[in-house]
Structure formats: structure tokens, C-alpha cells
């Protein structure tokens, strides 16, 4: 029970405690709630305050934002205004820059235009010089218009020596222009280095050039002393000119004293072996010659050894050298060698024109066994005379003890050239004829085969006229026959296509044919009897090829199509050599080769060109320049100095085809071919190769000559291609190729001492007969000799024995002539002498006989006077011969006296020379 009360008390206490705790908790809660409320209120008040502040801040921010917005708006407006102002200023600057650029562009265009016009003017004023036909100097201006011509007859060649290494062409030209020579009168062909200096070759007018070059000899040029060498002419020889030998000289040689041995061996085989081994061997300084001794007919075991030393006869070593002791020596050639030298010198010193200060004994190889001396003369005539006096002769009183002398001199005129072997073979008979050495012939030809199959041709001679004529003849053979246009076809330019045809002509006919690519002609070589057959074969081949050709006219609107692409397509289809487009003709033409298939290709392209030209006309805006050749818009335009613009392709075809059309000078064809402004030379060169341009220049010169036949003529020597200008200032001109002299007034051979009319009369038999008959002379009807009736009757007796009637020129016997004159002409006189009564003349013809007797006496008197004149001429000739002999004797005595004085003065030195 107690335990239960204790539990109840504990519960009550616990409950009281819990109640108290609850009340305390409630108090705490109430206090907490009060504090929370108070806190809430404070928070509310704080929040309200914060909200008021936030509102104020918000309103402040809004105000600030509004102010910022207003300021931004103001700034934006200001920036917009500034940007607008900047855009305006930029626009102003851009507009000003564009204006400046436009002005600069216009200025550049103006400067470029002025530079271009200045260049056009400069190029239009360009004048160039060319050497044509090997020796003619041609001066051309714009359009290749010929300004000046100097033919080879009027040119000389000047070599300016010792020029500084850095000498320029302009400086060399100034040397001549400062002397007053026009630039069209000289031309610098080339400059080449020679050692530490240079040499310039100048072609100049002969009269001015020679005078000025002689006057300039020895002048100083940049601390160097110049020298000038002048040639006779400026001909660029077709043959390579070895030219004239520089000095007229003569070489005399003879064998030194030698011995000859005949050696016998044991057999012919050993003799032949020994001959081969010994021939050409050197024994004690001399080269011996060993050959089988042909003197013995029955045996060949002997060898003849020549050019042995004189001491070999007693020399045991010589026997061991030849391998036999069975030998015999023939009679040796023994003479005093020093005396022979003196004899030759003495003989030469007496020759005309000799220059003894040049006399020298040449050093020679002792193995040859020969002595040679050389001396110079004044001219080649003196050399030839001295040669004839000593060649193949023995000098001195004892001819058996002196050697046979041999003389040689170089030919004063020498020219050489190389030709192909096939050409030589086709002309061999003609070359053999020219190579024949005939007595009295002053020039001849020497031929030699080269290592590479070529043949070397040389012309050698002493006489200028004979050598010149032979040289021209050789050049004619070398150049062959240039066939005319009837024997030409463009396919001959193709080596591959024509070689089989040319080979067939050479093998079947024996003629040689080649293509001259420069002149576009065939050259034919061969003997005269085969030339005609070869020409016929070539003509037949040309006709065959022409049958395969087609030429069509191209409409001017279609020219541009063919220039741009049609021509290239045709060449690709048919081949480069089978298509030709000629723009120089009006209208333009195109030629093809290849038969029916080629014609179909051409027709297809012609139709395509018409369609293309229509389409181009539709699409063209008319903004481009129109080409005067193809009448289309200029593609790759090229503008001339006159302002007309061409297609580059059209212009190139126009210039390249000018050589075929031969329409010069070359001018612009703008304004429907009425512009006619010459095309400058530098502009022409830019569109042509050097070879094509030179061919064009040759065509210009040839065309000019064809239109000036009365002013320029060819040399009178057959086959000579040189040209001279007709003039009356000079009496004679010399051809630079054949050396012939020509009268430039009448064009005939030079005739010094007579006028052109006199020369023409001398070579015109018809005119001579007419003039002689007008003077009263007649020809004998029997011997055609001229006879003259001075007086007497009409009975004439000619020196041939004919009795002639002067009235009718009938020939009668002595018994018939007087009867003829009375019956046919009513008497024997034309005019009856005063006081003579014809009717009273007796039948015996006494008067006629007396007249004939008087005429005979007069003839005898004239013959006696002629004989007396001839006798006087003979006596004068004999006196001149005697005077000449005395003069020569005196000169020989004077030479001998001078030589003796020189010997006494020089003493031992003379022996050294001898």
C-alpha cells in the first residue's frame, strides 16, 4: 500500500512538475510569441522602410535611366549628326579622290598617249640599212620605202683597226658623220675583237669613203691611234674570196747536190721489201726515195735509191743501212751550191720591179734536199715576167754543172667555194672542162673532194678580167638554174615530201635539184643535155600537184573566223604545208591541197564561217575597234601609228604575205584602203622573224628594180648578178664580182677615148653600112670589101680581081663591062667631064683607057706611099729596141757596180746572207 501511495505521490509530483513545466512552457511560448510579434512588427517596419527606400531608389533609378536615356538619345543624335557630317566629308573626299584619280588617269592616258605617239613618230622616222644582192647598200624608211641605193659598183670596204675593246657602234659612226658623210652613205656591217682591240668593217660610198679614210689615217680615238684599210670594192663574194695575194712574190727552188745508187738484191721479193722499207727513211739528214728500178726489163731485183748524200759512195755504213754491198752509183749532180745561190740572186736582181730588200733564202727541212729563195716584186706582171725567165731553166755558162731551177708564184686572184657532191656529179663534165689547163690561159679551176663528201672549187688566175669572167662562170654553175614560177609548188618547201621526187630525178636523169627556201624557187644543176628533160619532169609534177589544189575566195566577214581558228583547224587536218591563207590580195584567198577530202573540209569550214559571222554580228555591241582586214572586232588588238587597230593574227598574215603580192611600200589599209599611212620598220620587225624580214627586204628591192629598169641595170658579163646605176658623171665603173669595166652612160663595155655614140656606131654594122653608103662607099659584090669611087668612069676594079659596074654593082669581065655600061646606063660616066664629047669618042675607047691608066698610076702611088710609111715604122721600132737594149745594159752595169760597192762595204756579212 505504501508502495502504491508512493507511486501516487510520485505521479502527482510528476504531474505538478509537468503542469509547472507546461505553464512555464506556455509562459515561454507567450513570451516568445510576444517577442516574435514584436520582431515581426520590427521586420514589417523595416520591410516597409526598405520598400520605401527601394521605391525611392527605383524611382531614382528610373529618373536616372530616363536622364541616361535622354542623354543617350542626345548622344545618339549627336553621333548621328557627326556620322552624317563624316559621311558627307567622306563623300566629299571620295568624290575629290575620284576626281583626282580621274584626272590622274587622264593624265596617265595623256602621257601614255603622248609617249605612244612619240614612239610612233620615232618609229615612223626610223631609217634602216640593209645589204642586198651581196653588195648593194639599201636605205629604207617607214613601210620599207626605198630612200637611197648604193650599188656594189660604187661601194668600198673600210676596215677600221685598233679600236678600243669597249667601242660602240654609235661612236664608230660618229667618226664618219663628223667628216660630213650622210648616214645613208655608209653602213657598219660588223665589229669583231682582234687581240686587245677591235676591228670594224664599214661599207661606204667609194669616193667619199676612200678620201675620208685616207684623211683619218693615224687619228687618235680615246688615246688609241686608228688605222684604216681600204679594199677595192665591197662585194660580198658569192665564192669565198681567198682574194688577192697580199704581196706579189716569186719562189725559186732547186735540188741540192745528191747522189743516186742502184742496189741489187738476191731476189725480186727482197728488192720489193727493201724498197718499201727504205722509201722515206732519213739517212744523215736527207730523206731518201727508194723505187724498183724499171730500167731493167727482164728482172726486178734492183732498187733505185735517190737523194743520197754525196758521201754515201764511200760510206760503209750506207751499205749496211741499205742491206746490200752490190750497188753502183750513177753520175751525181755536182755543182757549187754557193755559186748557184749567187747566180740566182744576180739573175733575179736584173728583173724589172724586183724589191731586193725582200730577198731571202728560206729555211727548209734538210730532209727534202731542196733549196728555196723568195723575193717580192712591185706588181704581178713583173712576177710573171721573172717566172718565165727562170722556170725550168739552167743559169750560168756551164749548163751541165748547174741545177734545173723551178719557179712558183701564188695566183694573184684566188676564190673558193664548197658545193655538195651530188651537185658536182651532175655537172662533172662542165667542171672538168673548166679545170683544163690550156696554154695561154690566164685562169683555171681546181677541184678537190672533201673529207665529208663536199667538193672544194677554187678559181685561180693572173689576169683580172679572165679570172673575173671565169669566177662568174663558176658562180653561175654553183648557183644553177633558178626555175621560174611555172616550175614551183609550195609543197617543195617540205623536205620529207620532195626528197623522193628529187632523188628520182637524180637517179633517172642525172640532174640535181634542190629547194631555195629563201626565194622559194627550185635550183636545177646538170649537164645541158639533161636539163630540158629535168625541167619537163618538174613541170609535170607541178601540174599534177596543182590538180590537187583548190583556191577559194573568202568573204571579208569570214576572214576573222579563219584567222582565229579556221586556219589552225585546216592545218591540223591537212598539214601545215598544205594550207595557205593570203590576206594581201583583195578579196582574200585560201588555197588547200589534198583532193576531194580536203575540199570537203574547206567547204564545211566556209559554211561554218558564214554562221559564225552572222552570230558575231548579232552579239556584237559595236564597242570594239574594227579590224581593216577581217572587218570584225579586233582580237588581241594591235594599233598602228595612224590609230587603226588590227587583229594580231590578221596583221601578221598581212605582213608575211606582202612578199608575194609585191605591193610596196607597206601602208595601212584602214578606211577602206584609203589611209595609206606607212607602217614603221620596228613595227614590221615585231611580227616577222629575221629570215622572213630579210626575204621581205629582198622582195622590196627586186620590185623596185623592176620599176626602175632605166636607172639600174645588171652587169654586162653573162651570169653576173651585180647591179650598177646609170649615170653620166663617170666614164667607167668596175664590177666588184667579175672585174669588167662598164660605161654607166650607155651600159656597154667601157670605151675610153670615144663617146657612147661613137662606140655604138662602131658595134652596129647596120648603122655603119648606112653611114658609109651615105658617104659614097659601096661593097664589092664578090668579096664584100668596101670600095670608093674617087674619080674616073664607072668601071671599078676590086682587089679581089672583080670588075664592077659602079652604078648597078654588077660583076663583068674586062671585055664586057664597057659594053654593059653603055647599053644599060647610057655611058661609062655618071657625069660627063667638061669638054668631053661622048659622041666623038672612037670605038677603041681611048678616053676610058686613059682614065683607067691614070687611076692605076694613082693606086700605085698610094701603095708606094704606104710601103714607105711601113718601112719608117719598122726603122723606128728597131731604133727603140736598140735604145732599150742599151738602157738595159747600162742598168745591169750600174747594178753590178752597186753590188760590188756593197760587197766591199759589208765584207763578211755578205757571205752570211749568201
Amino acid at each position: 500500500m505504501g508502495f502504491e501511495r508512493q507511486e501516487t505521490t510520485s505521479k502527482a509530483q510528476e504531474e505538478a512538475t509537468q503542469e509547472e513545466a507546461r505553464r512555464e512552457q506556455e509562459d515561454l511560448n507567450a513570451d516568445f510569441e510576444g517577442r516574435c510579434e514584436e520582431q515581426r512588427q520590427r521586420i514589417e517596419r523595416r520591410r516597409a522602410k526598405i520598400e520605401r527606400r527601394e521605391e525611392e531608389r527605383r524611382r531614382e533609378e528610373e529618373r536616372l535611366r530616363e536622364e541616361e536615356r535622354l542623354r543617350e538619345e542626345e548622344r545618339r543624335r549627336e553621333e548621328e549628326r557627326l556620322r552624317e557630317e563624316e559621311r558627307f566629308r567622306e563623300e566629299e573626299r571620295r568624290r575629290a579622290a575620284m576626281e583626282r584619280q580621274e584626272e590622274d588617269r587622264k593624265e596617265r592616258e595623256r602621257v601614255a598617249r603622248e609617249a605612244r605617239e612619240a614612239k610612233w613618230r620615232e618609229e615612223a622616222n626610223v631609217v634602216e640599212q640593209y645589204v642586198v644582192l651581196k653588195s648593194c647598200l639599201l636605205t629604207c624608211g617607214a613601210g620599207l620605202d626605198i630612200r637611197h641605193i648604193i650599188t656594189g659598183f660604187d661601194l668600198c670596204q673600210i676596215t677600221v683597226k685598233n679600236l678600243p675593246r669597249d667601242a660602240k657602234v654609235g661612236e664608230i659612226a660618229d667618226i664618219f658623220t663628223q667628216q660630213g658623210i650622210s648616214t645613208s652613205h655608209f653602213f657598219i656591217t660588223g665589229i669583231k675583237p682582234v687581240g686587245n682591240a677591235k676591228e670594224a668593217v664599214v661599207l661606204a660610198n667609194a669616193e667619199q669613203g676612200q678620201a675620208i679614210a685616207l684623211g683619218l689615217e693615224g687619228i687618235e680615238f680615246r688615246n688609241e691611234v686608228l688605222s684604216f684599210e681600204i679594199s677595192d670594192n665591197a662585194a660580198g663574194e658569192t665564192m669565198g674570196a681567198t682574194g688577192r695575194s697580199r704581196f706579189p712574190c716569186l719562189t725559186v727552188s732547186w735540188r741540192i747536190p745528191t747522189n743516186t745508187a742502184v742496189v741489187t738484191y738476191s731476189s725480186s721479193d727482197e728488192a720489193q721489201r727493201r724498197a718499201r722499207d727504205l722509201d722515206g727513211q732519213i739517212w744523215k739528214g736527207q730523206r731518201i726515195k727508194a723505187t724498183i728500178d724499171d730500167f731493167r726489163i727482164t728482172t726486178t731485183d734492183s732498187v733505185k735509191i735517190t737523194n743520197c748524200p754525196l758521201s754515201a759512195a764511200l760510206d760503209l755504213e750506207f751499205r749496211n743501212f741499205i742491206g746490200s754491198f752490190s750497188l753502183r752509183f750513177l753520175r751525181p749532180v755536182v755543182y757549187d751550191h754557193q755559186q748557184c745561190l749567187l747566180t740566182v740572186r744576180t739573175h733575179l736582181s736584173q728583173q724589172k720591179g724586183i724589191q731586193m730588200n725582200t730577198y731571202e733564202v728560206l729555211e727548209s727541212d734538210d730532209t727534202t734536199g731542196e733549196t728555196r729563195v723568195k723575193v717580192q716584186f712591185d706588181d704581178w706582171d713583173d712576177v710573171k715576167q721573172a717566172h718565165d725567165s727562170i722556170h725550168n731553166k739552167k743559169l750560168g755558162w756551164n749548163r751541165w754543172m748547174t741545177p734545173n731551177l723551178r719557179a712558183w708564184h701564188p695566183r694573184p686572184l684566188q676564190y673558193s667555194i664548197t658545193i655538195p657532191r651530188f651537185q658536182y656529179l651532175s655537172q662533172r663534165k662542165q667542171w672538168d672542162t673548166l679545170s683544163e689547163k690550156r696554154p695561154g690561159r690566164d685562169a683555171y679551176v681546181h677541184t678537190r673532194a672533201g673529207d665529208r663528201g663536199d667538193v672544194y672549187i677554187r678559181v685561180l688566175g693572173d689576169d683580172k678580167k679572165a679570172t673575173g669572167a671565169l669566177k662568174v662562170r663558176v658562180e653561175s654553175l654553183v648557183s644553177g638554174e633558178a626555175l621560174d614560177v611555172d616550175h614551183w609548188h609550195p609543197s617543195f618547201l617540205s623536205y620529207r615530201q620532195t626528197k623522193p621526187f628529187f632523188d628520182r630525178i637524180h637517179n633517172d636523169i642525172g640532174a640535181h635539184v634542190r629547194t631555195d627556201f629563201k626565194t622559194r624557187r627550185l635550183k636545177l644543176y646538170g649537164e645541158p643535155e639533161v636539163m630540158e628533160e629535168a625541167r619537163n619532169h618538174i613541170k609535170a609534177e607541178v601540174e599534177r600537184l596543182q590538180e590537187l589544189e583548190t583556191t577559194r575566195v573568202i568573204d571579208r566577214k569570214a576572214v576573222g573566223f579563219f584567222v582565229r581558228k579556221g586556219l589552225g583547224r585546216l592545218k591540223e587536218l591537212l598539214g601545215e604545208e598544205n594550207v595557205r591563207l593570203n590576206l594581201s590580195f583583195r578579196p582574200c584567198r585560201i588555197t588547200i591541197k589534198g583532193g576531194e577530202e580536203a575540199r570537203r573540209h574547206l567547204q564545211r569550214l566556209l559554211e561554218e564561217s558564214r554562221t559564225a559571222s552572222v552570230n558575231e554580228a548579232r552579239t556584237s555591241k559595236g564597242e570594239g575597234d574594227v579590224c581593216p582586214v577581217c572587218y570584225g572586232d579586233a582580237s588581241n588588238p594591235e594599233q598602228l601609228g595612224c590609230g587603226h587597230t588590227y587583229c594580231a593574227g590578221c596583221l601578221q598574215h598581212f605582213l608575211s604575205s606582202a612578199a608575194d603580192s609585191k605591193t610596196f611600200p607597206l601602208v595601212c589599209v584602214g578606211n577602206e584602203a584609203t589611209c595609206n599611212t606607212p607602217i614603221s620598220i620596228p613595227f614590221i620587225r615585231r611580227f616577222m622573224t629575221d629570215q622572213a624580214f630579210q626575204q621581205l627586204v629582198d622582195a622590196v628591192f627586186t620590185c623596185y628594180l623592176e620599176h626602175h629598169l632605166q636607172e639600174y641595170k645588171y652587169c654586162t658579163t653573162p651570169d653576173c648578178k651585180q647591179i650598177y646605176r646609170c649615170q653620166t658623171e663617170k666614164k667607167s665603173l668596175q664590177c666588184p664580182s667579175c672585174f669588167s669595166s662598164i660605161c654607166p652612160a650607155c651600159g656597154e663595155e667601157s670605151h675610153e677615148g670615144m663617146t657612147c655614140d661613137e662606140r655604138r656606131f662602131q658595134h652596129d654594122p647596120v648603122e655603119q653600112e648606112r653611114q658609109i653608103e651615105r658617104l659614097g662607099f659601096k661593097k664589092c659584090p664578090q668579096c664584100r670589101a668596101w670600095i670608093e669611087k674617087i674619080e674616073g668612069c664607072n668601071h671599078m676594079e676590086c682587089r679581089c680581081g672583080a670588075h664592077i659596074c659602079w652604078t648597078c654593082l654588077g660583076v663583068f669581065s674586062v671585055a664586057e663591062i664597057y659594053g654593059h655600061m653603055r647599053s644599060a646606063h647610057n655611058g661609062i660616066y655618071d657625069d660627063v667631064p667638061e669638054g668631053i664629047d661622048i659622041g666623038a669618042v672612037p670605038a677603041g675607047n681611048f678616053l676610058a683607057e686613059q682614065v683607067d691608066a691614070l687611076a692605076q698610076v694613082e693606086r700605085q702611088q698610094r701603095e708606094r706611099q704606104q710601103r714607105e710609111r711601113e718601112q719608117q715604122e719598122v726603122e723606128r721600132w728597131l731604133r727603140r729596141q736598140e735604145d732599150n737594149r742599151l738602157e738595159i745594159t747600162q742598168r745591169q752595169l750600174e747594178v753590178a757596180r752597186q753590188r760590188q760597192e756593197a760587197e766591199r762595204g759589208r765584207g763578211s756579212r755578205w757571205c752570211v746572207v749568201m
Side-chain angles (χ1 to χ4, degrees):
M1 275 289 288
F3 180 73
E4 288 178 3
R5 264 188 319 274
Q6 190 177 358
E7 283 182 2
T8 303
T9 303
S10 296
K11 287 182 181 181
Q13 290 176 353
E14 183 178 356
E15 288 177 2
T17 303
Q18 289 178 354
E19 182 65 24
E20 186 178 355
R22 183 181 62 76
R23 284 194 298 273
E24 288 179 1
Q25 184 66 36
E26 287 178 356
D27 291 339
L28 289 174
N29 288 338
D31 185 51
F32 176 76
E33 288 178 359
R35 286 197 301 273
C36 288
E37 180 65 24
E38 184 179 355
Q39 183 68 27
R40 184 182 64 79
Q41 291 176 357
R42 284 198 302 271
I43 292 173
E44 285 294 332
R45 287 194 299 272
R46 190 181 292 112
R47 183 183 297 115
K49 186 178 179 180
I50 291 173
E51 289 179 354
R52 287 194 302 271
R53 291 177 179 175
E54 184 66 26
E55 181 65 23
E56 292 175 356
R57 187 184 62 77
R58 185 181 61 79
R59 285 196 297 267
E60 183 65 24
E61 288 179 353
E62 289 180 356
R63 182 182 66 79
L64 293 175
R65 281 197 299 271
E66 182 65 21
E67 291 178 356
E68 183 67 23
R69 185 183 66 79
L70 293 176
R71 285 194 300 271
E72 185 67 25
E73 183 70 20
E74 183 66 23
R75 187 170 58 254
R76 187 183 61 78
R77 286 196 299 267
E78 182 65 21
E79 290 178 355
E80 186 68 23
R81 183 182 65 79
L82 294 176
R83 282 195 300 271
E84 188 67 24
E85 291 178 357
E86 185 64 26
R87 280 197 301 270
F88 178 77
R89 286 193 297 271
E90 185 66 26
E91 184 67 24
E92 288 293 329
R93 286 194 298 269
R94 188 174 59 82
R95 187 162 53 249
M98 291 178 63
E99 291 177 356
R100 286 195 301 271
Q101 291 176 359
E102 183 67 17
E103 292 176 359
D104 293 343
R105 184 185 62 81
K106 291 180 179 179
E107 180 65 19
R108 288 194 299 271
E109 289 180 353
R110 183 186 65 79
V111 172
R113 183 173 63 255
E114 291 178 354
R116 190 165 54 249
E117 291 174 354
K119 181 180 179 181
W120 287 337
R121 287 192 299 270
E122 181 182 356
E123 290 184 348
N125 294 327
V126 169
V127 176
E128 292 189 356
Q129 294 174 294
Y130 317 101
V131 178
V132 294
L133 294 184
K134 306 297 183 182
S135 63
C136 292
L137 182 58
L138 183 66
T139 304
C140 292
L144 292 179
D145 182 31
I146 295 180
R147 305 284 182 82
H148 191 261
I149 296 175
I150 304 180
T151 65
F153 279 72
D154 300 321
L155 278 178
C156 71
Q157 179 175 294
I158 303 174
T159 303
V160 186
K161 298 184 176 181
N162 204 30
L163 288 165
R165 292 279 295 183
D166 58 346
K168 307 297 182 183
V169 175
E171 295 176 319
I172 301 172
D174 291 340
I175 297 176
F176 292 88
T177 56
Q178 290 172 2
Q179 304 301 317
I181 298 184
S182 172
T183 55
S184 62
H185 286 76
F186 72 92
F187 177 58
I188 302 174
T189 60
I191 304 175
K192 62 179 181 179
V194 179
N196 295 326
K198 276 187 176 181
E199 287 187 1
V201 179
V202 182
L203 299 182
N205 183 281
E207 294 182 355
Q208 296 179 341
Q210 291 181 358
I212 291 179
L214 292 175
L216 292 175
E217 180 69 27
I219 68 167
E220 287 192 4
F221 177 80
R222 287 164 50 182
N223 299 326
E224 298 290 344
V225 178
L226 302 183
S227 63
F228 295 78
E229 182 178 300
I230 308 171
S231 67
D232 294 338
N233 56 69
E237 301 292 348
T238 303
M239 300 187 71
T242 308
R244 298 169 178 261
S245 296
R246 189 169 183 180
F247 301 109
C249 60
L250 179 69
T251 301
V252 182
S253 63
W254 63 91
R255 306 287 299 181
I256 63 175
T258 58
N259 214 334
T260 301
V262 177
V263 185
T264 304
Y265 293 95
S266 58
S267 64
S268 60
D269 293 338
E270 184 182 1
Q272 292 178 0
R273 181 178 60 82
R274 288 286 184 175
R276 289 193 301 269
D277 295 341
L278 293 174
D279 189 37
Q281 294 291 327
I282 297 178
W283 170 255
K284 293 190 176 181
Q286 290 189 206
R287 189 182 302 276
I288 63 176
K289 183 178 180 181
T291 58
I292 296 297
D293 187 15
D294 296 332
F295 182 76
R296 298 185 179 184
I297 302 176
T298 58
T299 179
T300 58
D301 57 356
S302 297
V303 177
K304 185 177 182 181
I305 302 178
T306 58
N307 200 32
C308 302
L310 292 177
S311 61
L314 303 176
D315 195 340
L316 183 61
E317 294 181 4
F318 180 74
R319 288 168 170 76
N320 294 328
F321 174 73
I322 61 177
S324 176
F325 285 82
S326 177
L327 76 164
R328 60 185 178 89
F329 287 91
L330 304 180
R331 181 179 179 181
V333 179
V334 181
Y335 59 88
D336 189 343
H337 186 58
Q338 294 298 325
Q339 182 63 36
C340 183
L341 280 171
L342 180 61
T343 303
V344 171
R345 181 186 177 94
T346 303
H347 177 82
L348 291 176
S349 66
Q350 298 172 359
Q351 301 304 310
K352 179 182 177 182
I354 192 169
Q355 301 176 5
M356 287 303 296
N357 60 327
T358 64
Y359 181 89
E360 60 177 332
V361 179
L362 301 179
E363 295 183 2
S364 60
D365 187 359
D366 293 338
T367 60
T368 61
E370 189 176 74
T371 299
R372 294 182 301 154
V373 298
K374 184 178 180 180
V375 67
Q376 296 179 13
F377 288 78
D378 292 339
D379 56 49
W380 289 105
D381 292 336
D382 298 336
V383 172
K384 188 175 182 181
Q385 184 177 357
H387 174 273
D388 296 339
S389 70
I390 200 172
H391 181 59
N392 282 336
K393 294 182 180 178
K394 295 184 177 182
L395 303 179
W397 63 274
N398 189 354
R399 303 299 174 90
W400 296 103
M401 298 300 293
T402 57
N404 187 50
L405 304 177
R406 296 185 300 275
W408 175 86
H409 65 84
R411 295 291 179 174
L413 299 171
Q414 301 180 19
Y415 301 91
S416 62
I417 196 171
T418 304
I419 63 174
R421 183 174 62 89
F422 288 112
Q423 177 181 340
Y424 174 78
L425 294 176
S426 64
Q427 301 173 315
R428 185 158 191 169
K429 292 182 180 179
Q430 300 177 69
W431 290 119
D432 292 343
T433 301
L434 293 178
S435 301
E436 294 179 359
K437 294 183 179 180
R438 302 172 184 173
R441 194 170 184 176
D442 294 324
Y444 65 93
V445 173
H446 178 266
T447 61
R448 179 177 65 86
D451 297 334
R452 299 183 178 181
D454 296 335
V455 178
Y456 295 93
I457 308 295
R458 297 182 65 196
V459 176
L460 307 172
D462 301 324
D463 182 70
K464 181 189 296 184
K465 186 173 182 179
T467 306
L470 182 60
K471 170 179 170 290
V472 171
R473 173 61 179 156
V474 169
E475 289 176 350
S476 176
L477 275 179
V478 170
S479 61
E481 178 184 348
L483 302 182
D484 55 21
V485 294
D486 293 336
H487 297 79
W488 171 255
H489 192 271
S491 64
F492 292 151
L493 292 172
S494 173
Y495 175 80
R496 179 177 55 83
Q497 292 185 2
T498 57
K499 186 179 185 304
F501 174 64
F502 290 168
D503 290 345
R504 189 165 63 251
I505 290 181
H506 179 77
N507 297 330
D508 297 346
I509 303 176
H512 177 64
V513 187
R514 73 172 181 88
T515 300
D516 189 338
F517 294 94
K518 185 175 181 180
T519 60
R520 297 195 174 188
R521 298 287 181 87
L522 288 185
K523 291 294 189 68
L524 185 61
Y525 309 87
E527 304 298 338
E529 58 269 15
V530 304
M531 295 287 278
E532 184 63 30
E533 184 179 358
R535 282 192 292 267
N536 293 335
H537 276 69
I538 296 172
K539 183 61 181 291
E541 179 68 12
V542 170
E543 292 175 351
R544 186 188 70 81
L545 294 173
Q546 287 177 346
E547 291 178 356
L548 304 176
E549 283 190 348
T550 301
T551 300
R552 298 289 295 274
V553 174
I554 303 177
D555 185 74
R556 69 179 190 178
K557 296 180 180 179
V559 173
F561 170 81
F562 276 93
V563 170
R564 286 188 290 272
K565 52 185 178 181
L567 182 62
R569 290 164 62 180
L570 272 178
K571 288 182 177 181
E572 183 178 355
L573 291 170
L574 307 180
E576 181 79 19
E577 66 279 1
N578 295 327
V579 182
R580 300 196 311 275
L581 177 62
N582 196 325
L583 300 179
S584 299
F585 290 99
R586 288 292 185 270
C588 301
R589 298 184 176 94
I590 187 170
T591 302
I592 63 170
K593 184 182 71 172
E596 185 62 32
E597 182 180 359
R599 285 191 287 271
R600 283 200 303 270
H601 287 305
L602 176 59
Q603 183 62 34
R604 177 175 56 80
L605 287 176
L606 286 172
E607 295 174 354
E608 184 178 346
S609 68
R610 297 188 188 99
T611 305
S613 61
V614 172
N615 294 335
E616 290 177 1
R618 290 176 179 175
T619 58
S620 176
K621 302 296 183 180
E623 297 177 355
D625 294 317
V626 177
C627 175
V629 175
C630 65
Y631 296 96
D633 291 343
S635 60
N636 300 321
E638 292 286 346
Q639 190 175 30
L640 300 183
C642 58
H644 290 104
T645 304
Y646 291 71
C647 300
C650 293
L651 187 59
Q652 184 173 7
H653 279 285
F654 171 71
L655 295 175
S656 60
S657 60
D660 296 328
S661 62
K662 293 185 178 181
T663 303
F664 303 106
L666 296 175
V667 296
C668 175
V669 294
N671 294 339
E672 298 294 334
T674 60
C675 177
N676 295 329
T677 301
I679 304 175
S680 65
I681 294 178
F683 194 89
I684 297 174
R685 279 187 177 276
R686 286 198 290 269
F687 285 86
M688 306 185 77
T689 62
D690 293 340
Q691 182 180 3
F693 183 79
Q694 185 60 44
Q695 182 179 355
L696 183 62
V697 172
D698 293 341
V700 170
F701 186 61
T702 303
C703 182
Y704 185 87
L705 293 180
E706 292 174 355
H707 290 83
H708 297 79
L709 296 176
Q710 298 302 318
E711 184 178 0
Y712 295 94
K713 295 184 178 180
Y714 284 94
C715 175
T716 55
T717 302
D719 301 325
C720 186
K721 303 283 191 304
Q722 289 295 333
I723 294 173
Y724 66 93
R725 183 173 62 88
C726 299
Q727 53 183 310
T728 57
E729 295 82 5
K730 296 183 179 180
K731 299 298 183 183
S732 177
L733 296 175
Q734 182 176 348
C735 177
S737 289
C738 66
F739 315 119
S740 63
S741 297
I742 300 173
C743 173
C746 63
E748 300 295 337
E749 187 176 356
S750 180
H751 44 80
E752 296 290 340
M754 66 176 68
T755 65
C756 295
D757 291 337
E758 292 172 347
R759 194 268 176 198
R760 192 178 299 110
F761 174 77
Q762 189 181 46
H763 290 76
D764 188 354
V766 177
E767 179 65 18
Q768 289 178 8
E769 291 187 11
R770 189 179 68 81
Q771 293 292 339
I772 291 175
E773 289 177 356
R774 186 176 65 83
L775 294 174
F777 293 85
K778 295 182 180 180
K779 278 190 174 182
C780 170
Q782 181 167 297
C783 68
R784 307 303 296 171
W786 289 103
I787 57 178
E788 178 188 12
K789 178 185 174 184
I790 301 175
E791 57 184 358
C793 68
N794 290 332
H795 172 206
M796 305 293 292
E797 184 178 356
C798 181
R799 62 186 178 185
C800 67
H803 294 271
I804 307 164
C805 173
W806 180 258
T807 304
C808 65
L809 293 181
V811 179
F812 303 92
S813 64
V814 178
E816 297 174 347
I817 187 168
Y818 286 103
H820 159 74
M821 290 189 293
R822 290 193 179 91
S823 61
H825 308 299
N826 297 322
I828 62 175
Y829 292 98
D830 290 332
D831 298 322
V832 180
E834 184 178 355
I836 299 298
D837 184 6
I838 298 300
V841 176
N845 297 321
F846 173 77
L847 182 60
E849 293 175 358
Q850 292 299 314
V851 170
D852 289 344
L854 289 174
Q856 185 175 2
V857 170
E858 291 177 356
R859 286 195 296 273
Q860 292 174 354
Q861 185 178 1
R862 287 196 296 271
E863 292 175 355
R864 184 172 62 256
Q865 292 174 353
Q866 179 66 23
R867 286 195 299 271
E868 291 176 355
R869 286 194 296 270
E870 292 177 352
Q871 183 65 27
Q872 292 174 359
E873 288 293 334
V874 171
E875 292 176 356
R876 283 196 295 269
W877 181 82
L878 290 174
R879 284 197 297 272
R880 286 197 300 271
Q881 293 295 320
E882 182 65 20
D883 293 340
N884 292 336
R885 187 182 65 79
L886 292 175
E887 182 180 356
I888 292 173
T889 303
Q890 292 176 358
R891 188 163 61 248
Q892 291 175 346
L893 292 174
E894 181 66 21
V895 170
R897 184 183 63 79
Q898 293 177 357
R899 186 169 64 251
Q900 291 174 358
E901 292 178 355
E903 290 175 354
R904 288 195 297 269
R906 288 182 291 182
S908 60
R909 188 175 59 180
W910 173 265
C911 297
V912 173
V913 175
M914 296 303 294

